Amino acid sequence: MKLLLLDEHYPPELLEGFDVVREPEEDVVAALTRGTARVGEELFAQLPALRVVGTATVGFDHVDVEAAEQRGVAVVSVPDYCTQEVADHALALLYALLRGIVVLDRDVAAGGWNPKAAGPLRTLAELRVGIVGLGRIGGALATRLVALGAEVWAHDLLPVDRSGVRPAGLDELLAGCDVVTLHVPLTGETRGLLGPERIESMRPGALLVNTSRGEVVHVDAVLAALRSGRLGGAALDVLPREPPPDVPVAPNLILTPHAAYYSPAAEERAYRLCLARVREVLGVV
């Protein structure tokens, strides 16, 4: 079976049994990506025998799923490959904001030794944290937060009953929580979910954490809210353009380079699960 490889990072040993090509050919039955290239109608038109697209990522917004469905092409992803890594990263970003870790480190590196250089510091157990998207990752983070003593609210399109977590509407959550952390896929409904009006509706001094997709948040509105003091801090692992042409700068802003997913074990798991699901669609082992 001929397989079109659109991302060179897939380990060769996982591709055994396929005739791997790097350019579209008419008899290709499977294509593999990892979000580095858009997969849509233009490519599908060159692959009349295509049966499945595999992406070694949680999200699949880089794949035109509607066009795939119209052509009878299955799309498989790996939403379960980095749940613990992203939940840990979101919690780490939250702690970095609460405890001023980045500011304190930079102050010491610059020759300072001032425990108050980051301003007033807070503890997690005194805060109300709102989780937007209570799926695998949001649920894993909720488990951590409840165990650490935080009051946890959550909003999800499909309400989930979880011990220790209070369901809330999105606007209620934004207005009522000290921290908002985002864990939703990028869809037509979630693109721009936190625009200027919703950011303005957040509790004064609130903290924002985003480890989902950059386009879910209106970044310019976040920067403006940080500069005005409307938001107390923000930690973003994702941006609308990656890497950004200009790195955003604002008070109490922490940026990481779309690294929440990463551990060597998770990376291996992503490729392995993706290939397993592609083989399942094709009916081969």
Side-chain angles (χ1 to χ4, degrees), residues 137-224:
I137 295 168
L141 179 60
T143 298
R144 289 159 168 75
L145 292 169
V146 170
L148 292 166
E151 180 183 351
V152 181
W153 290 12
H155 170 74
D156 198 281
L157 294 178
L158 298 173
V160 178
D161 184 16
R162 181 175 287 269
S163 177
V165 178
R166 178 190 184 279
L170 179 58
D171 293 333
E172 177 190 14
L173 181 150
L174 295 174
C177 289
D178 304 294
V179 179
V180 174
T181 178
L182 304 174
H183 302 280
V184 295
L186 181 62
T187 65
E189 291 73 28
T190 63
R191 188 181 300 273
L193 184 68
L194 257 63
E197 290 186 5
R198 280 193 164 135
I199 290 169
E200 186 65 24
S201 75
M202 291 173 65
R203 176 174 286 191
L207 306 176
L208 175 65
V209 177
N210 186 18
T211 56
S212 59
R213 285 291 184 268
E215 295 94 331
V216 171
V217 174
H218 193 293
V219 174
D220 287 343
V222 171
L223 299 178

Side-chain angles (χ1 to χ4, degrees), residues 50-210:
L50 187 67
R51 292 170 56 191
V52 59
V53 173
T55 178
T57 55
V58 173
F60 43 84
D61 44 279
H62 52 289
V63 179
D64 189 335
V65 176
E66 184 176 344
E69 289 178 350
Q70 290 175 353
R71 289 180 173 271
V73 175
V75 177
V76 296
S77 63
V78 286
D80 46 350
Y81 88 96
C82 62
T83 298
Q84 303 306 324
E85 285 82 359
V86 180
D88 281 348
H89 199 87
L91 184 60
L93 291 175
L94 174 52
Y95 266 127
L97 289 172
L98 291 177
R99 303 302 303 168
I101 300 300
V102 174
V103 174
L104 292 171
D105 172 74
R106 290 174 180 169
D107 180 68
V108 172
W113 194 259
N114 178 9
K116 298 183 179 180
L121 305 181
R122 291 182 279 179
T123 62
L124 184 59
E126 68 187 21
L127 300 180
R128 179 184 295 155
V129 181
I131 299 173
V132 181
L134 198 62
R136 291 181 179 86
I137 295 168
L141 179 60
T143 298
R144 289 159 168 75
L145 292 169
V146 170
L148 292 166
E151 180 183 351
V152 181
W153 290 12
H155 170 74
D156 198 281
L157 294 178
L158 298 173
V160 178
D161 184 16
R162 181 175 287 269
S163 177
V165 178
R166 178 190 184 279
L170 179 58
D171 293 333
E172 177 190 14
L173 181 150
L174 295 174
C177 289
D178 304 294
V179 179
V180 174
T181 178
L182 304 174
H183 302 280
V184 295
L186 181 62
T187 65
E189 291 73 28
T190 63
R191 188 181 300 273
L193 184 68
L194 257 63
E197 290 186 5
R198 280 193 164 135
I199 290 169
E200 186 65 24
S201 75
M202 291 173 65
R203 176 174 286 191
L207 306 176
L208 175 65
V209 177
N210 186 18

Side-chain angles (χ1 to χ4, degrees), residues 1-3 19 25-30 46-50:
M1 291 186 174
K2 194 163 287 187
L3 181 149
D19 179 9
E25 297 183 14
E26 288 192 354
D27 54 348
V28 162
V29 296
Q46 301 175 68
L47 304 173
L50 187 67

